[in-house]
Amino acid sequence: MEVGQKVRIRRLRDRVSELVAKRLGQVGTIQDYKMTDGSGVGVLVQFEDKFATWFFDDEIEVVQ
């Protein structure tokens, strides 16, 4: 996955706020990468309404 790619939120690994939970199934754009727990990498995803948050790479899928 690369910065600028469109991705769909396909699942949520952990409990999250309602604001994040309603993003399930939505499409956003990868803005950056984030170190998660010392060994994992997450991605920062921004949506059309300018809301941005990070997801684990197994929570998203690339939109063609």
Side-chain angles (χ1 to χ4, degrees), residues 36-47:
T36 57
D37 59 6
S39 63
V41 177
V43 292
L44 179 66
V45 177
Q46 184 174 26
F47 299 91

Side-chain angles (χ1 to χ4, degrees), residues 31-61:
Q31 298 296 308
D32 203 359
Y33 300 99
K34 173 182 172 46
M35 289 300 295
T36 57
D37 59 6
S39 63
V41 177
V43 292
L44 179 66
V45 177
Q46 184 174 26
F47 299 91
E48 282 186 15
D49 63 358
K50 304 299 181 205
F51 176 80
T53 191
W54 72 273
F55 296 92
F56 291 105
D57 62 349
D58 65 341
E59 295 178 315
I60 60 177
E61 62 187 1

